[in-house]
Amino acid sequence: MNVIKIPAKPQKGNSAAKTEIKKLRVAAYCRVSTDNEEQASSYESQIQHYTEYINSKPEWEMVRVYADEGISATSTKGREEFNAMIEDCKKGLIDLILTKSISRFARNTVDCLNYIRMLKGMNIPVYFEKESINTMDTRGEVLLTIMASLAQQESESLSKNTKMGIHYRFQQGKVMVNARNFLGYDKDENGHLIINQEQAEIVKRIFREYLEGKSCKKIAQGLERDGILTSRGKAKWHDTSIRKILENEKYMGDALLQKT
C-alpha cells in the first residue's frame, strides 16, 4: 500500500503564525537622600520620567519603578525598594535596570561593585544615564570602579558639609523639617513652623482612634473611606504611615516619648 504524504498548506497574511518576540523586562531605580522640598520634587519627577520612558519603548515591558525616598546611599541597609529590586532580579523578573547615575545607585564602592557583579552574573545589565555606562560593556567595570570611588568620596564630603549646615541652622534657630510631608504643620515666610488647623484635626483623629483601640490599618481605612487626603494629597493611606505619625516625637513631645 502506497502512502501519499500531503504537505501542509502554507499560511499567508493574517492567518500565518507569527513568531512572538519576547519583550525586555525593564525596571528603574531612583532615590533622593534628603527630605527637603526640592529633593522631594526630584524624587517624584524621576518616577514620572522612568515610567514614561520605559512605556514609550514598544520592545520593553515595564516591571516597576523602585524608589527610595529620604534614604542615604552610603549603605544599602534600610533601602527597602533597592533590596526588593535585587530580590526580584534573583527571581528572574527583571532583564535590565535603568538608573540616573552611579551616585543614585550606590555611593559605597564595595556595595556598588558587589551588586553590579552579582547582576552581571545573572546577565542583568545596569544602565547609568548620566555616565552613559552599560555594565555589560567591556569598559563598564573599569569606569565603574573609578567613578564609584569618586562618588563615595563625594558622598563623604557632602555628608560633612550637610552636618555643618545643619549645625549652623540650629545655631540660627531655623527649623529643619520638610513641612510638605509633615501633616498638621506649614511654614511661614520666615521658615518657622505654624499649625495647619485643618490637618491638625486629622492628626488628633489618628491619635484618638488609636487610643480607642483601633489598629493602624483600621484607622487608614477610615481615613480613606471619609475621603481624607494624606500630607501629599494622596487618597491612599498606608498603615505604616499611620504608625510613623503615632511614633513621631514631633507630635508626641519629648515627655511622652520618654514615657513610651
Side-chain angles (χ1 to χ4, degrees):
M1 179 178 179
N2 294 328
V3 177
I4 301 174
K5 184 178 179 180
I6 302 175
K9 184 178 179 181
Q11 296 179 327
K12 297 180 180 179
N14 293 332
S15 61
K18 296 181 179 178
T19 304
E20 184 179 351
I21 300 174
K22 184 180 177 182
K23 291 188 175 183
L24 203 64
R25 297 166 300 175
V26 182
Y29 178 72
C30 59
R31 177 194 60 79
V32 293
S33 57
T34 62
D35 289 327
N36 63 48
E37 295 181 27
E38 290 182 4
Q39 290 289 346
S41 175
S42 171
Y43 170 82
E44 291 172 354
S45 65
Q46 284 183 59
I47 295 177
Q48 182 180 358
H49 163 70
Y50 284 118
T51 300
E52 293 175 354
Y53 180 63
I54 294 173
N55 287 329
S56 71
K57 302 286 186 180
E59 69 275 19
W60 287 1
E61 176 185 339
M62 181 169 178
V63 179
R64 59 175 279 204
V65 176
Y66 299 83
D68 283 310
E69 183 180 15
I71 303 293
S72 171
T74 51
S75 172
T76 56
K77 292 180 180 179
R79 287 204 281 162
E80 294 180 2
E81 288 286 282
F82 181 89
N83 294 326
M85 178 181 70
I86 295 299
E87 287 302 312
D88 285 346
C89 287
K90 292 178 181 178
K91 294 174 185 176
L93 303 178
I94 299 172
D95 299 318
L96 170 65
I97 296 172
L98 305 178
T99 190
K100 184 178 179 181
S101 66
I102 295 174
S103 63
R104 296 297 91 189
F105 189 77
R107 282 183 175 165
N108 180 294
T109 309
V110 175
D111 274 348
C112 183
L113 295 179
N114 283 345
Y115 277 106
I116 285 187
R117 286 168 181 163
M118 177 197 298
L119 293 168
K120 285 181 72 174
M122 294 185 280
N123 201 32
I124 301 173
V126 181
Y127 181 73
F128 300 98
E129 285 190 302
K130 183 179 178 181
E131 295 85 3
S132 297
I133 294 176
N134 185 323
T135 56
M136 298 302 280
D137 290 345
T138 53
R139 67 187 185 96
E141 185 151 342
V142 176
L143 288 172
L144 277 169
T145 304
I146 297 170
M147 300 189 77
S149 180
L150 292 173
Q152 183 175 346
Q153 291 178 19
E154 178 191 354
S155 174
E156 292 169 354
S157 175
L158 180 62
S159 178
K160 290 178 182 177
N161 291 338
T162 301
K163 288 177 181 176
M164 289 176 63
I166 291 172
H167 284 302
Y168 176 75
R169 289 185 179 92
F170 283 163
Q171 290 173 353
Q172 299 297 313
K174 295 182 179 179
V175 179
M176 289 291 295
V177 174
N178 179 11
R180 182 183 179 187
N181 298 330
F182 196 11
L183 188 68
Y185 289 93
D186 293 322
K187 281 185 180 179
D188 62 17
E189 61 275 8
N190 296 318
H192 298 137
L193 285 180
I194 55 173
I195 294 176
N196 180 315
Q197 295 296 342
E198 183 179 350
Q199 292 183 357
E201 292 303 316
I202 302 171
V203 176
K204 291 177 183 178
R205 169 177 170 170
I206 291 171
F207 275 86
R208 183 177 64 252
E209 292 185 357
Y210 185 75
L211 290 173
E212 290 170 355
K214 286 188 179 181
S215 67
C216 294
K217 185 176 182 180
K218 287 291 184 183
I219 296 172
Q221 290 172 345
L223 293 171
E224 288 181 13
R225 184 184 61 246
D226 294 343
I228 296 173
L229 302 180
T230 68
S231 59
R232 288 195 162 196
K234 305 293 184 181
K236 177 68 177 176
W237 283 84
H238 298 280
D239 56 338
T240 51
S241 300
I242 301 297
R243 183 164 298 281
K244 285 180 180 178
I245 290 174
L246 292 169
E247 294 176 347
N248 193 329
E249 74 278 2
K250 297 179 184 69
Y251 297 118
M252 298 164 63
D254 290 339
L256 182 56
L257 180 63
Q258 290 167 7
K259 290 180 181 178
T260 57

